[in-house]
Every structure is written in structure tokens, then in C-alpha cells.
Amino acid sequence: MTNTADTPASSSTTTRRVVVAEDEAIIRLDIVEMLTEAGYDVVGQAGDGEQAVALAEEHKPDLVVMDIKMPVLDGISAAERIAKARIAPVVLLTAFSQAELVERARDAGAMAYVVKPFTSADLLPAVEIAVSRYQQIMALEDEVADLADRFETRKLVDRAKSKLQTQFGMTEPEAFRWIQKTSMDKRLTMREVATTVISAGDDRA
């Protein structure tokens, strides 16, 4: 199992650029410090959702970390706008872990969420999961133009990833990379590879 302390952006070839949005200044400074110490580059800080959207549009960061409860525009609405514009993945911070709120966050396009109070050991893995999931979705959307087909493809790829994780002990990103690489090597779509994985039992070849 990977140590969460070894998860950060410093292991990447390029430093991830982040916008942080939190209306409580002390918490915002804590988040910025956690991210900076882990090797991320905080390019913008916002105190409300409207400002967060503006900074995301201006800086085109790799990630937005944002509180759900904010003035002017709440975090879920801001996340929805950022997701629709395909700017960056969003990690939402919340003091609540109710299923309804989590569902709303997911529907808005948030890639991950972290419940307060949290430490860097909670935040950093969520950040990397969000970036990984976002990259997967972008890759699938580039491959599939039709919206209905895209949704069906994503469901099939998720099922195939889950099967690869269970049968071969892969992480989620490793499973997706295997599907992506196989599709390129065999000149198939990711949907075709996913369908084969789902129906092929233990035979990955």
C-alpha cells in the first residue's frame, strides 16, 4: 500500500497548479501550506465561489480545492460551472458527510471530497485521486463524441477497472492505464477493451 506522504505532486514531472477557495482565512492558509509543502503551486486564492470561478478561468489550473459553504456563490454551484467549462478537476471540502450533499457534489462534477477537520494525509490522496479521475474522463470524452455513448462507455470502463482491481490487485489509475494502453496497442476503442475485460473472465489477453 502506498504511503500517503509519498503521494504528492513533487513525484510528478511537472508541478501541479492549484486554486484554493475557502472563505475562512485561517483554514485557507492551512490548505495553502499543506499543498505548498507537498510540492504544489498555489496560483490563486479565493474567499467566495464567484472569485474561485474567475480565478479558475484566468489561471486554468490543474486542480481547484474549494469549500462547499461559501458566500456569493456556493462551492457546489462553482464546481458545476468549472466542470461544465472543462477547466479543472474540483475537490470539495465539507463539514458534513451526508449522502445527499455528497451526491449533489458528484452531480456537480466534483471529482473528490474531503470532510473537515482534515490533515494533509486526508487532503493529498483526495487531490491526486481527483486529478487521476479527471484525466480518465477527459480521455474518454476525447474518444467518444456522443453524450449517451460517452456515459455508457464510462460505465463500462468503470466496471472493467473494478474487475482488474479485484482480480489483479491494480490500483484504479493502473487499471485505467492498462485499458488505455491496450486500446492503443490493439487499435481498439477503450469501450471495446472494457467490454472484453468484463466478459473475458481471468484472461486479460
Side-chain angles (χ1 to χ4, degrees):
M1 186 172 171
T2 304
N3 188 331
T4 51
D6 297 327
T7 313
S10 52
S11 64
S12 303
T13 52
T14 56
T15 302
R16 299 203 199 285
R17 299 162 66 256
V18 188
V19 166
V20 175
E22 164 65 67
D23 60 319
E24 293 186 42
I26 293 173
I27 297 176
R28 186 167 70 244
L29 289 171
D30 282 345
I31 296 165
V32 170
E33 186 178 355
M34 286 179 197
L35 292 170
T36 303
E37 285 181 355
Y40 296 85
D41 179 17
V42 178
V43 295
Q45 297 182 43
D48 64 67
E50 197 69 59
Q51 189 182 13
V53 174
L55 286 172
E57 289 172 344
E58 177 187 348
H59 292 288
K60 299 290 191 291
D62 300 303
L63 178 78
V64 178
V65 177
M66 182 160 51
D67 190 27
I68 280 184
K69 299 279 188 182
M70 284 194 297
V72 186
L73 186 71
D74 69 82
I76 289 179
S77 299
E80 191 168 24
R81 282 170 54 178
I82 291 167
K84 278 185 178 174
R86 295 168 58 110
I87 296 171
V90 176
V91 174
L92 285 173
L93 312 173
T94 176
F96 312 98
S97 56
Q98 294 103 321
E100 183 189 345
L101 203 59
V102 172
E103 198 67 36
R104 281 184 61 209
R106 193 181 296 120
D107 290 345
M111 293 291 108
Y113 75 98
V114 180
V115 180
K116 297 176 182 177
F118 55 84
T119 66
S120 58
D122 303 310
L123 178 63
L124 299 179
V127 161
E128 287 303 308
I129 286 168
V131 171
S132 173
R133 285 180 180 162
Y134 185 77
Q135 289 170 343
Q136 291 176 24
I137 289 169
M138 290 300 103
L140 287 174
E141 289 188 358
D142 286 343
E143 182 178 287
V144 185
D146 181 76
L147 195 61
D149 284 351
R150 188 183 296 167
F151 179 69
E152 189 60 33
T153 297
R154 194 185 300 179
K155 284 199 302 183
L156 287 169
V157 169
D158 282 345
R159 282 180 60 198
K161 281 191 302 182
S162 178
K163 189 168 184 179
L164 290 170
Q165 287 175 262
T166 302
Q167 291 187 347
F168 302 103
M170 295 181 179
T171 63
E172 184 188 4
E174 285 170 347
F176 182 78
R177 281 195 296 269
W178 187 89
I179 292 168
Q180 196 173 34
K181 183 176 185 301
T182 303
S183 76
M184 289 187 286
D185 290 348
K186 302 200 175 206
R187 297 182 181 178
L188 299 168
T189 65
M190 281 190 275
R191 180 172 180 160
E192 288 170 327
V193 174
T195 302
T196 302
V197 168
I198 292 163
S199 61
D202 290 344
D203 180 14
R204 281 190 296 164

